[in-house]
Amino acid sequence: MSDQNVRNAGFTPSGIAGGSLASSLMSQEARACGGGVPSGGPTSTLQEMGARGTTHSSGYTSSGISGGSRASSTMSQEATAYGGGVPRGGTTSTVQSI
């Protein structure tokens, strides 16, 4: 995953771009969570990466998730929370797809 892909999706240093994939994801996540976007969810994770330009070291790569990375930690936590599997539309799958 590259910083440019994250920014192209609408996660920018100045915030989420209106009308973008990022704004759509934020809207869907907020509805699913009762009106707010949770810390550590897909929207906040991607926005943090877009604002800081840190995707290259996060562990989300075109070959998959790097062992020992922030991405692998997120995936492990999410799998534990969901009884052993990583859900579609969750943080790991959403961030990895972008």
Side-chain angles (χ1 to χ4, degrees):
M1 176 168 55
S2 74
D3 292 333
Q4 193 58 49
N5 288 349
V6 172
R7 288 192 184 116
N8 287 346
F11 298 99
T12 72
S14 58
I16 292 177
S20 66
L21 174 62
S23 66
S24 176
L25 176 62
M26 183 175 68
S27 176
Q28 290 173 16
E29 189 175 7
R31 282 194 305 272
C33 294
V37 177
S39 176
T43 301
S44 63
T45 299
L46 284 161
Q47 182 53 39
E48 177 186 352
M49 290 177 185
R52 294 184 181 181
T54 59
T55 60
H56 64 283
S57 62
S58 65
Y60 295 96
T61 73
S62 60
S63 302
I65 292 176
S66 299
S69 66
R70 177 180 176 190
S72 68
S73 176
T74 300
M75 182 175 69
S76 177
Q77 291 171 357
E78 195 170 19
T80 299
Y82 286 92
V86 177
R88 275 190 143 164
T91 301
T92 303
S93 62
T94 301
V95 175
Q96 182 61 30
S97 72
I98 290 176

